Each structure stands twice: as structure tokens, then as C-alpha cells.
Amino acid sequence: MQKVSVVVKLVAWIAAGALVVAGLLALVVPAGSDLRTSIDMRAKTIPALAVEPERSLIYDSHGAEIAQLYSNEDRASVPLTEVPSTMVAAILATEDREFFNHSGIDWKGTIRAFLKDVSAGGVKQGGSTITQQLVKNTMFAGGRGRNAKDKIREAVLALRIEGQYTKREILERYLNTIYFGNGAYGIKAAAERYFNKPVQRLNLPEAAMLAGIVSNPDGFDPITHPVSARARRAKVLEGLVAVGVITQADAQHDDAAPLPTRITPAATYGPNTSFVDAMQHYLIDQDNAASQALGATREARRSRLYRGGLRITTTWDPAIQRALDAAVAAARLDGRLSVSSTVIDNRTGAVRAVYPNLAYGRGVKALAPAVRQPGSTFKTFTLAASFEDGYSPDDAVNGGTCSFKYPVTTSDWAPKTDRGGILTLRDAYAFSVNCAFARLELSMGHGTAGPKRVVEMAHRLGVTHPLAPVSSITLGVSPVTTLDIASAFSTIAADGDHRDPAFVSQIVGPDGTVLFDLANTTGRQVMDPQVARSMTQVMRGVIDKPGATANRAALAGGRPAAGKTGTTNGGTDIWFSGFTPELTASIWVGQYSCACSLQSILGGDAYGGRVPARIWSDFMDAALAGQPVSKFIDPDPTAWPRRAYLDENGRRAYYISAPTPTSVATSTSTG
């Protein structure tokens, strides 16, 4: 029976050999069959070696690696010059000892494998060369079939690959392509996964273990099958002795080395922090110069990010992040409270830090930026729209109680206020007087006309969330994020030069080509510098003017700063957003789980000028420590229009006998 089996195998090998010969004859003998056409050696081109997916590496703004992104296959290519010679020797001794001598097919090895196959009574020996394995892994989209046509095509393509690439190029591509088990594709990922070290530091027993895995990544897995893995490593070491790379004594010594007992997940598969998650959405879901560099569609951009071997330098600054984290920690907030914050560099629009910047995983919603009502923060956009329409910071307005009827307003409206009398617009802003800003908004147009001016200004400066053009928009009833507010305030700080918030400063392709560079982008002048400087001067009063809403935001050493508080009715959301010439930061404090009043938790501190302002001040002092004090550029006061008096019916010439308001009811301010 055994003899019959051997005879059957012999016949099969002869038949296979005949097919190979027939196929090779077809390379030189013209004929019309599909088989001959598919492997015609006379063709001038061959199918390109497939570009294998590679992980993308993510760096902070100083070049330190902070994340790795990949999809399905964790691979990071490495040049052959960085692979230890012992690793190369182990692979060659195990997989293809004649690699540097054959032309793509090792005929002697194939015959030797056949003879061993026959004599072993069914134990199969590998006959494929490294070049053939590379062809099999990269040039058969659906996997190479076991049929004669595919096997012949593999052999032919191996011969043609050898004619087009050098041996070192083939070997480098092979080492970066093969699968080593446990999700590691290529030698670099394998070194990280099994030994938590760069490939350059692999020693001989480690190299031998990895070389042994290639033929059966599951069966020789050192974690799940240590006995088999150890036996396989011993066989590789024997092969190294046989080719004269090491001595028998070396092999015995290396055979005693321990195997790895756990896997190191060197790559994260997806975003590992909320900043990296925000960067992912910036590159995949948004339309900007950086995302366009990756592709025209969401699918193309995602594939490029997770499979394209990119080197992405982000705008994230760990020192600024530490300052933000420390400022929040110093506030010693009740555990029921949450904080959301975004920090932007005014010169470039670069997002330098976010809060929270937690480990990404469960509770994804809790990591998302809070989308909440900003309260009186939106008075900023009402004031900016009025300055653009020719109003002056010194215009007078009645801050006393007010109520309005439709169609003067979009619905009957009686906002609460806590300060009466005739005020300048700069004072009405510093003390956050609701009725003064209700009248200011309506002075620019009744119904939706005035609110539309506020909405248009907010969007132009950088707010991206939808905004309802209702009369109460001036008091911040439409939810936004700290990114929205930081972006808009940063535009004011930059003299009206708007730069879209950027999470990436540079993207480099696997071949070194720079695909995107933030330094090559320009801003858009969306506000006249005189208007921006006038806004900055008025916004400084929120911090500097005695009794204003955010005296607690004053910075050490008298460093100039400007900003605005925001407190919603009932104190459910409290904000402080502000800027220096260098940085803008927006701080929100509230509860992620609900829009609940914070007064039961914070009591009298449930205002934007209290907890958020203190966090902002502590952060800015730390982030700017050691930097020279920069100053804002003052507006030209002669460019302001003549002072006027305004109410809900418009702006008119100021007169001394302006009406004196009646008594004002005191209520919770939205400042």
C-alpha cells in the first residue's frame, strides 16, 4: 500500500512537472491559449507588486510619537539596512538558502522537496522561493489558487520579478510583507509585538524564533504553542549551523533563551486619545486642505489614514496640555461636574490642547466636546456686528428692564436683567447687561433681521454649529462647542484674520513626499482690523474693569487678556472664553449627563466669571510662563463714529436728555 502511495505521488509530480514545462514553453512558442497569454514572458510589463497597507504614525507638535493607526493589517516598513544581519540569515537559512543564487525558482530545492515528500510518506516540504512567496502574497488579489494555472503563473512572475528587481529589493519587500502572527505584518511590527523593541535590536534567538513563525504563524505561536515554537526555533538554529552562520555551541546556548510570554500591542488600531480622535474626524469627515490631501471622498481619506503609511505631525502640544490638565485639577471640582476646553494658537489656528484628553475607548460620548448653550458669550457677536454696522463702543443704551412683542421680536420676549441706567456699549458688555444687548440686537433690525446679523457674524468668525436666528440668540440659546468659541475668539485676537482650527501641521507620505503643510496655508480676512481691535479693547474690560464679570480671569504680571463670560439661565452651563495675543482658550463647566442647574453643587460660584474664569487664568499663567509679555494693538479712536444713543428702534444722534430708565428688577444674570 505504501508503494502504491509513492507511485501515485510520483505520477502527480511528473504531471505537475509536465505542466510547468508546458507553461514555460509557452513563454517562447507563440500560441493562442488563455494560459499562454496570461504568462507571456515577452510582455514588456508585469503587474506591479501590490502596495501593502501600512500603519500611519502620529506625532505631537515636537515630533514625539503619540499614536499609531492601522486597519486590519498592522505593518510598518523598514529598509533592509535596518534589519540585523542575523535576522536576514535566519530567514534565508529557513525559507530559501539559495536565494542569492537562483533566478526566482530553485529547481534543485523543488526536486529536493519532492524527494523528501515522497520518502517522508506524506510530510510536505516547502519548495517555494522567497521570490515566489512574495509573488503569492502580493500579486494574487484573491489569493493564489492551488490549480496548475496559478502555480505556473506564480513561477513565471517570480522569474520576471527577478529580472526587474534586485535581490536586496525583493528581500526587503518580502520582510515587510510576510505575516508573523498576532496581527503583526512585516518584521518591524513583529519585533514590536513579540519583543517590544525596534527591529534593529533583535538578537539571534529572537531572530530565529521569528524566522520559524513564518511557515505557520498559528502553529508556532510562542504564546499559545510554546512547545512547538521552541522546537521550531531549534530547527532554525540547526539551519544556521548548517550554513555556517553560528556554531553548534552557539545554537545550544541560544536554544536556552526564554520565549516571549505576552504580546505587546504596539499599535492602537484606532484613536488612543480624544485629541487623536478629533484629528481623525478632522482628516476624514471635514472638508479642509489637510483632508483634501488624503482624498476626495470619506472612504478614500479613511483608507489613506489607516493604510497609507503616513507620518502625521499634529498641532498638539504636550506642555500646553499639561498646563490645561493642571488648571482643571487645581479647581478641585465636584465629581459630578465636567469640563470641556479647546486651546488655539492665534497665529496659525493650530489646536494646541483639548480637555478632556482621555484614553479613547468606552464611554465615547463622554469624551466628545460638550455641545451646550453659551449664554452671554454670544453678546460678543452682537457687539461685533454692531461695530461693523457703524456703531461706537461709546454709544449709549438703556440697560433697564425690557419686554418686546412679536413682530418686533421673533416671539414675545422679556429677557431678565440685573443692571439699569444708561450705559455705554463697552460697559454693557463688561457687566453683561441682557436688556442692553437685546436692544442693541433689535436696533440692527426687527424680527429676524437683527438676529441674522448676529448669526452671520458668529459663523463668519468661526462658529460652525447651526444657529437659530431668533431674538434670544444674542443671549446664547443655540448650543455650540468650546472649539466653536475658541475659533471665533481667536479670529478677533488675530486682527480679524480667520484660520480654520487645525489638528494637523504636516502630513508626509511613505515615500517622503509632503502632502500637506500648515505653514503653507493662509487665513481669510473676515473682519476689518479696526473692528477686531475695538472688540479686543472692549473685551479687555470684562477682566480689567472693577466689578466686571471676570475680574478673576486677570493674569499674573499684568499680562494683557480679553474675554467674555457666559452663564445660562439657572446656571446649567457656565463658560469663560478669552485670549492673549498668543493663545485663545474656551472653558465650559457643566454636567455631561444633563442640563441641570449647577447651583446645588457650586452655590454662588455657578457663574462663568467664577470657576471657568479661574481655570482659564491658571491655565494661561502656566502656559505662558517664561514667555515675554505681548501687547494687543489698540484701535484708532478717531475712526469710531460719533457717539449715539440706541434702542430697539435703531441708532440716532445722542442727546443729553436721554430717557432715564425706571426701576430695574434684579434677577440672575446670564453673564
Side-chain angles (χ1 to χ4, degrees), residues 178-185 189-190 193-194 213-214 216-218 221 263:
I178 50 179
Y179 182 53
F180 287 91
N182 285 294
Y185 290 80
R193 188 74 87 248
Y194 289 104
I213 287 177
V214 173
N216 188 351
D218 293 329
D221 183 338
I263 295 300

Side-chain angles (χ1 to χ4, degrees), residues 210-291:
L210 292 177
I213 287 177
V214 173
S215 63
N216 188 351
D218 293 329
F220 297 136
D221 183 338
I223 311 302
T224 57
H225 300 290
V227 175
S228 297
R230 184 175 292 277
R232 177 61 175 169
R233 184 183 65 179
K235 192 170 185 62
V236 174
L237 292 171
E238 289 175 10
L240 287 168
V241 172
V243 296
V245 173
I246 61 175
T247 66
Q248 188 63 48
D250 292 330
Q252 291 175 350
H253 175 270
D254 292 334
D255 191 37
L259 294 173
T261 57
R262 64 185 181 87
I263 295 300
T264 301
T268 59
Y269 190 76
N272 63 340
T273 66
S274 44
F275 184 94
V276 176
D277 181 49
M279 181 216 71
Q280 171 190 263
H281 289 294
Y282 171 76
L283 290 176
I284 294 175
D285 301 320
Q286 298 178 21
D287 184 19
N288 51 65
S291 66

Side-chain angles (χ1 to χ4, degrees), residues 328-342:
V328 176
R332 303 176 69 87
L333 297 179
D334 184 286
R336 292 169 289 177
L337 295 177
S338 302
V339 177
S340 182
S341 180
T342 304

Side-chain angles (χ1 to χ4, degrees), residues 86 548 649:
T86 51
N649 294 310

Side-chain angles (χ1 to χ4, degrees), residues 339-527:
V339 177
S340 182
S341 180
T342 304
V343 180
I344 290 180
D345 186 320
N346 298 329
R347 297 163 300 173
T348 62
V351 178
R352 295 302 186 192
V354 299
Y355 192 93
N357 189 41
L358 305 177
Y360 189 83
R362 292 185 177 181
V364 172
K365 290 184 179 179
L367 301 181
V371 184
R372 294 300 179 86
Q373 291 183 349
S376 290
T377 306
F378 256 56
K379 290 172 181 169
T380 305
F381 307 124
T382 307
L383 188 64
S386 74
F387 284 176
E388 195 169 76
D389 286 356
Y391 290 52
S392 166
D394 295 319
D395 282 351
V397 62
N398 181 358
T401 53
C402 56
S403 63
F404 311 97
K405 297 290 186 181
Y406 176 83
V408 173
T409 48
T410 53
S411 62
D412 292 351
W413 186 37
K416 296 178 180 179
T417 195
D418 65 354
R419 185 180 290 265
I422 302 299
L423 306 159
T424 63
L425 288 181
R426 66 173 75 243
D427 282 349
Y429 188 83
F431 300 115
S432 201
V433 182
N434 288 350
C435 279
F437 272 83
R439 292 184 173 104
L440 176 60
E441 177 188 51
L442 293 174
S443 75
M444 293 185 287
H446 289 178
T448 60
K452 283 182 177 178
R453 284 289 291 121
V454 177
V455 167
E456 187 276 332
M457 178 58 70
H459 280 155
R460 197 191 331 153
L461 291 179
V463 174
T464 59
H465 274 72
L467 303 173
V470 295
S471 299
S472 54
I473 189 65
T474 190
L475 303 184
V477 296
S478 288
V480 293
T481 65
T482 57
L483 177 62
D484 283 321
I485 300 301
S487 176
F489 277 33
S490 181
T491 302
I492 297 172
D495 264 359
D497 179 32
H498 175 71
R499 292 174 180 267
D500 292 334
F503 289 83
V504 167
S505 61
Q506 191 176 74
I507 303 174
V508 178
D511 61 352
T513 301
V514 177
L515 305 176
F516 167 79
D517 195 327
L518 185 63
N520 296 331
T521 63
T522 58
R524 303 186 304 278
Q525 196 69 38
V526 300
M527 174 183 280

Side-chain angles (χ1 to χ4, degrees), residues 346-347 493 559-561 579-583 630-632:
N346 298 329
R347 297 163 300 173
R559 187 183 292 271
F579 53 86
T580 66
E582 300 86 1
L583 295 175
S630 301
K631 295 183 178 180
F632 294 114

Side-chain angles (χ1 to χ4, degrees), residues 90-391:
I91 284 287
L92 294 179
T94 307
E95 294 296 318
D96 190 352
R97 295 183 187 180
E98 298 298 320
F99 174 71
F100 283 101
N101 299 321
H102 62 62
S103 58
I105 300 175
D106 182 6
W107 299 106
K108 292 181 180 179
T110 299
I111 295 172
R112 184 169 57 251
F114 159 67
L115 294 176
K116 288 184 178 180
D117 187 6
V118 172
S119 63
V123 179
K124 295 183 178 180
Q125 302 292 323
S128 293
T129 65
I130 280 177
T131 312
Q132 286 176 285
Q133 292 180 51
L134 180 61
V135 168
K136 176 182 176 181
N137 292 335
T138 64
M139 302 186 74
F140 288 82
R144 193 210 66 183
R146 293 181 175 272
N147 56 75
K149 178 180 177 181
D150 275 2
K151 290 181 179 180
I152 292 174
R153 184 166 182 263
E154 175 192 282
V156 171
L157 289 174
L159 292 171
R160 291 160 68 180
I161 287 291
E162 291 270 353
Q164 186 162 322
Y165 295 90
T166 67
K167 286 287 187 178
R168 292 184 62 82
E169 288 173 335
I170 294 170
L171 184 57
E172 177 179 288
R173 188 62 179 270
Y174 173 79
L175 287 169
N176 286 311
T177 300
I178 50 179
Y179 182 53
F180 287 91
N182 285 294
Y185 290 80
I187 189 62
K188 178 177 172 64
E192 295 168 348
R193 188 74 87 248
Y194 289 104
F195 302 108
N196 194 27
K197 62 169 59 175
V199 64
Q200 298 91 329
R201 292 174 50 201
L202 288 172
N203 59 34
L204 184 59
E206 292 167 346
M209 191 207 81
L210 292 177
I213 287 177
V214 173
S215 63
N216 188 351
D218 293 329
F220 297 136
D221 183 338
I223 311 302
T224 57
H225 300 290
V227 175
S228 297
R230 184 175 292 277
R232 177 61 175 169
R233 184 183 65 179
K235 192 170 185 62
V236 174
L237 292 171
E238 289 175 10
L240 287 168
V241 172
V243 296
V245 173
I246 61 175
T247 66
Q248 188 63 48
D250 292 330
Q252 291 175 350
H253 175 270
D254 292 334
D255 191 37
L259 294 173
T261 57
R262 64 185 181 87
I263 295 300
T264 301
T268 59
Y269 190 76
N272 63 340
T273 66
S274 44
F275 184 94
V276 176
D277 181 49
M279 181 216 71
Q280 171 190 263
H281 289 294
Y282 171 76
L283 290 176
I284 294 175
D285 301 320
Q286 298 178 21
D287 184 19
N288 51 65
S291 66
Q292 291 169 7
L294 299 188
T297 65
R298 185 183 187 281
E299 292 72 21
R301 294 191 290 265
R302 181 177 177 81
S303 177
R304 194 83 178 273
L305 176 61
Y306 278 86
R307 299 166 61 87
L310 304 176
R311 304 295 183 266
I312 300 175
T313 302
T314 70
T315 57
W316 185 69
D317 189 316
I320 293 178
Q321 184 70 55
R322 286 193 295 270
L324 182 58
D325 294 345
V328 176
R332 303 176 69 87
L333 297 179
D334 184 286
R336 292 169 289 177
L337 295 177
S338 302
V339 177
S340 182
S341 180
T342 304
V343 180
I344 290 180
D345 186 320
N346 298 329
R347 297 163 300 173
T348 62
V351 178
R352 295 302 186 192
V354 299
Y355 192 93
N357 189 41
L358 305 177
Y360 189 83
R362 292 185 177 181
V364 172
K365 290 184 179 179
L367 301 181
V371 184
R372 294 300 179 86
Q373 291 183 349
S376 290
T377 306
F378 256 56
K379 290 172 181 169
T380 305
F381 307 124
T382 307
L383 188 64
S386 74
F387 284 176
E388 195 169 76
D389 286 356
Y391 290 52

